[in-house]
Amino acid sequence: MGASQSTAGSPPSHELLERLSGNQPVPHQDVFWKQLLFMAFPTPLASHSPEEVQAKLAPYCQQLLVFNPLTHNFQSLVLHSIVLLHDARSGKNQRPAANALRLLGSVVKAASETGNAASIIPALFEITPSVPIPKELVTQENQLIKVLMRRVMATLMELELSEANHVLLYEAVQLLLVSASSQVFCPVVVSPVGNHPMLEAMLIQHQFAPQVMQRLLQLLIRRPPPPSDGSLYLGRTTSGVTRLAKSAASTLLWLPAATYSSLAAVAGAVVGASASAEPAFARPPSPLAEASLLLILVLCYSSNPRLDVTEGEGMASATPAANPFQMALHSLLDAGDASNADLEGGGGGVPSISSDQRRQSNTGDPVAAFKATHPSSPQAPPPPQARIDFGALFIGLASALASTVQAEHSSSTSASGTGSSNSSTAAAHPTGSSPEAPAAAAAGASGVDATTAGVGAGVEAAALLAYSLLHGCTSFREYVLSRTDVELLVVPLLRHMYGAASNKQHTSFMYMLQILLLLLSQDPSFASNIHLVALPGGAPWYKEQRLTVAKGHSGGAGVGYGGLSLGSLVVIVLLRTIASGLSGGRQASDLAVPTNALAALANLAPYMAHLHVHAAQRLVSLLQVLAKRHARLHARLSVSSPAAQAPLPLAAAATAVAQKGQDSAQEGGGVQPVGDAADTAQMEMELEVISDCLRVLLEVMNAALIAPVASGGSASASQQQLHRSPSSSGSVALVAQQQLLRNLELLYALLHGQDVLGLLRTHPQFMDLVSNLQAIVDFFNRRFDDARATESGSDAAASLSSWSSVSKVQELVVTSAHYWRADRLRPFPELRFVYEEEQGAESFFVPYVWGLVILSTKGLCWDMRNAELLQSA
């Protein structure tokens, strides 16, 4: 590769690397360091293929790990890197500084991959008498590691975003990512102090946390295009001229999102998406933004060790301390809100480093650089809260979820991505790993499926960041819920849910998407307003049926009878997800998929209005499918143990259903006796799950057709059970009539499929909920009978023709609904679910995040043989 060449008068790069990693120490002031850092690599290492750079440096890194305890050459490299970073603040030596960070990252990565970072990395940073650092400043263990991490973070915060600084900022982000990677090669999530020296040095930077998070979010939002001079590798197929043209176009098209320049593109992706499976538009690659997104997730979900955790202790006793970076993200303020300026003393935001501070340095002096990096006072004031433009952040997240990054880039460099789920229900599914297939190993181990990584791991990372903000940052969640164009975020989520539902192996991403909807559904204004948002373009990506205006309706393409609203689309996708989750083939832990979707659906039910005909039909159809499945299971268990089952009428109905050939193909159309005890236990568990789902669906039907009584409590969505809120009394007659008129399509679908109520009304677990629905059905059946009797006396043939018309039946439904009274119906409390992240959630998030990182940085050629975290997740 080009990096093997060196400047005239300097030894070849391979000779310099051999000396660095050899068994002889190199004096700190030797000319060798200038040759290595300034002359050995005339172009940035980042401009070459990551695979080629890794292949060239890997042997020297391994050799350095062997001989460094004798030579301490790595410590000298660290000190020279700190000096170069110090000088870069004034616009000097950006290329040598960037290459130095790449060299450091390669060595740290090699040390982490051994699985013994706890002992190897401290030895790499050991301060010896030959290291020129003032002894009075060396007061803490692993001090040199802390100084390096502080200097890298300061570089990330201080450098202006420009073409000259772009590669150095990218290498700083990459080094921080690699420095935290020792977690991947440790079998436990929360480790004793000292197991991850570099990560621990990052997590103690409380003063820098808000500044770092603010800068990373700014980079994510702005999506700076790669430098036009080709100093950042974008793939083999991109020529210099093409790369320059793409970069110029990127600069014009992808301005900071605070200007909302991407709003039109996002809106086009939402309402006019192509019918193909690919996202509607592709954003130009931005390796710096994509790496920044990954670093945000790593910093936020890394577990801070505690002093009371010792080797061999389990997770029960390992309670991590507060993570300053997660706290900084959760306490974000809106830079676009003028009221926040007063909270920050009128100036607002995190202060930047002044030019006078940048000039206070002695170039080339490691002692001065160390003193400038080392904090002068341990009692520093609390850092200000980070501030970011929430409007720009919202558009940035919506753009990331609605788009894809060019394939050639995502396959060669780190890609941005998305994807939380309830920690009690979210579980990664590990697979084996090998150095030959690091991406596949990471994908399987973390629950990230390689097939969905094509849309990519970047989408999952963006979804995970959206979860972090909506769940943890109250101010951002309130901002999102206050927007009138929330469909820009919701429609891409639904599209990904639609695609993930068919992939039964890929549950982690589905959890993330479901929890995002569950978080949004907890707000009544969201649940109500989404039915007012029309989607005139429909949902071309929905394959089961074309979601357009239903025939026989005059509602037009907008919101109304027959029109598709955002609320109807949410209901349709949730119902499809529930059906897919209960269709079989999933593990028991995957029951969270239908459970979380049911929880979101229950939250939305009281506010459903003018449902699309397909949404109404799908709701009743799912109720029918589950009722028949419940009957079959009950019948089979009754054959095995009749005394243990509930009322005979239900068993008789189930037997009748089975004898009519409505049983599944594998059961052969008859009632099969249960086999051994294991089969019985499995079927009993399945029956319990189906029963819970049926009850929630009946509650949804009641809430959608009959106004629920407002309740004073809420419930948490958990994997195995659903809890009802406390009830309250009150009349629901008038409101129930209005609710019925708002959902005539659902009423018509229920009348069409009313036989399902006969399977459930005699069962004590359902009869209370079925009674209200049966009362509605009986009322309209009487109205139909009266209307038929009235018309049959005049012209029987005309009457028969009239009643075979869908429009005629719908007309009578609308007319009769005005006479409906609900005085005698049983009132039910509003069933609501609230998502709660349980203690120990890091056991899901840490492996999931690192699975995304590994999959998105395949160019670094991770050696996954010791990736115990992903293998045991």
Side-chain angles (χ1 to χ4, degrees):
M1 71 178 187
S4 63
Q5 302 174 356
S6 58
T7 305
S10 172
S13 59
H14 68 274
E15 292 185 7
L16 295 171
L17 291 173
E18 181 65 35
R19 186 179 178 190
L20 172 69
S21 59
N23 57 6
Q24 296 298 320
V26 180
H28 185 78
Q29 301 298 334
D30 196 287
V31 70
F32 162 84
W33 297 107
K34 182 177 181 180
Q35 294 173 338
L36 175 67
L37 298 173
F38 287 82
M39 302 178 185
F41 307 104
T43 59
L45 290 174
S47 65
H48 302 280
S49 165
E51 291 88 348
E52 293 182 5
V53 175
Q54 173 69 16
K56 179 178 179 63
L57 297 181
Y60 301 109
C61 293
Q62 296 295 335
Q63 185 170 297
L64 181 62
L65 295 180
V66 174
F67 292 114
N68 192 73
L70 301 176
T71 65
H72 302 108
N73 288 339
F74 183 79
Q75 286 89 325
S76 293
L77 177 61
V78 171
L79 291 176
H80 282 284
S81 301
I82 291 174
V83 172
L84 290 173
L85 292 176
H86 193 63
D87 294 343
R89 297 190 302 177
S90 57
K92 301 177 182 179
N93 303 329
Q94 287 95 335
R95 177 181 57 80
N99 287 341
L101 293 186
R102 176 61 67 92
L103 292 175
L104 292 178
S106 298
V107 177
V108 170
K109 173 177 171 290
S112 298
E113 289 173 341
T114 64
N116 193 23
S119 59
I120 295 179
I121 289 182
L124 286 174
F125 289 88
E126 180 185 4
I127 297 177
T128 64
S130 62
V131 178
I133 292 181
K135 298 301 182 289
E136 65 272 14
L137 295 180
V138 183
T139 58
Q140 302 179 33
E141 187 179 3
N142 295 331
Q143 186 62 51
L144 188 56
I145 299 179
K146 299 171 185 176
V147 172
L148 176 63
M149 293 293 96
R150 191 177 297 119
R151 183 67 265 159
V152 174
M153 289 185 179
T155 299
L156 183 61
M157 296 182 300
E158 296 168 9
L159 286 189
E160 297 178 357
L161 180 58
S162 64
E163 283 216 349
N165 293 329
H166 192 109
V167 174
L168 180 54
L169 289 171
Y170 176 76
E171 292 290 10
V173 173
Q174 289 286 79
L175 176 60
L176 293 175
L177 273 175
V178 170
S179 298
S181 66
S182 57
Q183 293 181 103
V184 180
F185 307 96
C186 181
V188 295
V189 173
V190 181
S191 303
V193 172
N195 270 26
H196 309 297
M198 301 195 75
L199 175 61
E200 294 167 19
M202 295 163 61
L203 293 179
I204 64 172
Q205 308 298 331
H206 295 269
Q207 296 296 316
F208 284 171
Q211 297 166 286
V212 170
M213 295 306 296
Q214 178 171 301
R215 169 47 74 93
L216 292 174
L217 287 170
Q218 289 170 345
L219 294 174
L220 173 64
I221 291 170
R222 294 185 62 179
R223 289 191 61 82
S228 58
D229 59 2
S231 55
L232 197 56
Y233 182 79
L234 293 180
R236 296 182 180 278
T237 60
T238 304
S239 64
V241 175
T242 305
R243 182 184 300 157
L244 177 62
K246 286 183 178 180
S247 180
S250 301
T251 304
L252 293 175
L253 295 176
W254 291 95
L255 298 175
T259 65
Y260 300 97
S261 60
S262 61
L263 182 58
V266 179
V270 170
V271 300
S274 169
S276 66
E278 294 300 320
F281 69 97
R283 300 188 295 176
S286 178
L288 180 54
E290 295 149 12
S292 298
L293 173 58
L294 296 175
L295 182 56
I296 290 172
L297 298 178
V298 168
L299 291 175
C300 286
Y301 288 105
S302 293
S303 296
N304 216 338
R306 285 181 60 100
L307 296 175
D308 58 349
V309 181
T310 59
E311 290 286 359
E313 288 186 333
M315 287 296 299
S317 61
T319 304
N323 182 326
F325 295 95
Q326 188 176 77
M327 294 172 61
L329 185 69
H330 290 174
S331 60
L332 278 179
L333 296 178
D334 186 4
D337 186 352
S339 63
N340 287 333
D342 298 332
L343 298 177
E344 295 295 334
V350 174
S352 59
I353 306 298
S354 67
S355 57
D356 291 336
Q357 290 174 304
R358 296 183 187 185
R359 286 194 292 267
Q360 293 176 358
S361 64
N362 294 321
T363 303
D365 184 354
V367 175
F370 185 92
K371 289 182 177 179
T373 304
H374 194 80
S376 58
S377 173
Q379 301 298 328
Q385 289 176 271
R387 293 180 63 202
I388 206 75
D389 190 314
F390 281 176
L393 183 57
F394 174 85
I395 295 299
L397 287 174
S399 300
L401 291 169
S403 66
T404 182
V405 179
Q406 294 177 3
E408 68 178 17
H409 170 66
S410 62
S411 64
S412 59
T413 61
S414 62
S416 71
T418 98
S420 146
S421 87
N422 190 325
S423 59
S424 67
T425 64
H429 302 293
T431 62
S433 60
S434 66
E436 293 78 10
S446 63
V448 180
D449 194 348
T451 58
T452 55
V455 287
V459 174
E460 293 201 49
L464 181 53
L465 178 59
Y467 161 81
S468 305
L469 291 166
L470 289 176
H471 176 254
C473 185
T474 303
S475 56
F476 182 76
R477 180 172 65 250
E478 292 175 350
Y479 170 83
V480 170
L481 293 171
S482 69
R483 289 185 66 102
T484 58
D485 56 354
V486 71
E487 69 272 13
L488 298 181
L489 181 66
V490 174
V491 173
L493 292 178
L494 296 176
R495 180 171 185 166
H496 291 303
M497 280 187 65
Y498 177 82
S502 59
N503 188 344
K504 296 183 182 298
Q505 301 297 321
H506 187 49
T507 56
S508 296
F509 186 34
M510 176 61 81
Y511 291 155
M512 204 65 53
L513 299 170
Q514 287 180 330
I515 297 304
L516 283 170
L517 278 181
L518 180 57
L519 288 170
L520 293 172
S521 72
Q522 294 170 190
D523 183 73
S525 63
F526 170 85
S528 177
N529 292 337
I530 58 175
H531 293 283
L532 304 177
V533 179
L535 299 178
W541 41 266
Y542 188 83
K543 302 297 184 182
E544 278 81 347
Q545 180 171 321
R546 187 180 180 186
L547 300 179
T548 57
V549 180
K551 294 181 179 180
H553 292 280
S554 59
V559 179
Y561 300 121
L564 179 66
S565 67
L566 178 62
S568 291
L569 185 59
V570 171
V571 171
I572 290 170
V573 175
L574 284 175
L575 289 171
R576 183 179 184 273
T577 302
I578 296 168
S580 175
L582 296 175
S583 62
R586 291 186 181 272
Q587 299 179 6
S589 60
D590 296 339
L591 291 176
V593 170
T595 300
N596 291 334
L598 280 167
L601 190 66
N603 287 347
L604 299 175
Y607 308 94
M608 290 181 183
H610 309 304
L611 286 180
H612 188 272
V613 58
H614 184 61
Q617 291 173 352
R618 186 136 202 170
L619 177 55
V620 175
S621 175
L622 179 60
L623 189 65
Q624 292 173 320
V625 169
L626 294 184
K628 293 176 182 178
R629 186 171 170 185
H630 184 281
R632 288 196 300 269
L633 289 169
H634 196 283
R636 292 189 62 189
L637 288 171
S638 298
V639 171
S640 175
S641 179
Q645 302 306 316
L648 180 61
L650 180 63
T655 304
V657 169
Q659 291 175 348
K660 289 180 181 179
Q662 297 177 350
D663 206 347
S664 59
Q666 60 268 32
E667 293 174 351
V671 180
Q672 302 291 330
V674 180
D676 55 21
D679 291 339
T680 302
Q682 182 177 359
M683 292 184 63
E684 288 176 347
M685 183 183 70
E686 184 179 357
L687 182 63
E688 181 180 358
V689 171
I690 298 299
S691 299
D692 289 341
C693 293
L694 273 172
R695 184 162 182 85
V696 175
L697 285 177
L698 290 170
E699 301 231 24
V700 168
M701 294 285 292
N702 272 269
L705 295 174
I706 308 164
V709 177
S711 63
S714 59
S716 300
S718 65
Q719 179 177 354
Q720 298 295 343
Q721 55 187 345
L722 302 170
H723 306 284
R724 173 179 292 284
S725 304
S727 62
S728 60
S729 60
S731 175
V732 297
L734 180 60
V735 182
Q737 183 188 50
Q738 297 172 348
Q739 187 79 355
L740 194 66
L741 290 171
R742 294 170 61 195
N743 286 296
L744 293 177
E745 284 290 358
L746 181 58
L747 172 59
Y748 179 77
L750 178 61
L751 293 173
H752 185 72
Q754 59 183 279
D755 290 346
V756 67
L757 301 180
L759 290 175
L760 301 174
R761 63 188 174 193
T762 58
H763 195 286
Q765 191 173 0
F766 310 123
M767 62 175 53
D768 56 338
L769 293 167
V770 172
S771 62
N772 282 348
L773 301 178
Q774 189 65 54
I776 296 174
V777 169
D778 291 343
F779 168 80
F780 283 92
N781 283 339
R782 288 195 298 271
R783 298 287 298 185
F784 291 157
D785 292 340
D786 293 343
R788 289 192 184 96
T790 301
E791 293 188 9
S792 62
S794 56
D795 188 346
S799 175
L800 180 61
S801 174
S802 173
W803 282 99
S804 64
S805 169
V806 174
S807 59
K808 175 66 176 179
V809 176
Q810 292 174 339
E811 179 183 349
L812 182 60
V813 168
V814 174
T815 303
S816 302
H818 291 280
Y819 297 95
W820 162 252
R821 301 292 295 177
D823 305 77
R824 298 182 179 180
L825 294 183
R826 176 178 178 178
F828 288 100
E830 183 178 339
L831 183 64
R832 298 200 60 77
F833 295 89
V834 177
Y835 170 74
E836 295 178 358
E837 186 178 287
E838 297 184 359
Q839 186 177 4
E842 63 273 3
S843 61
F844 165 74
F845 287 114
V846 173
Y848 184 53
V849 167
W850 277 109
L852 294 175
V853 172
I854 298 298
L855 193 61
S856 301
T857 56
K858 294 181 290 185
L860 295 180
C861 302
W862 297 91
D863 185 346
M864 304 302 294
R865 286 175 292 185
N866 294 320
E868 297 183 77
L869 177 71
L870 302 184
Q871 295 170 7
S872 60

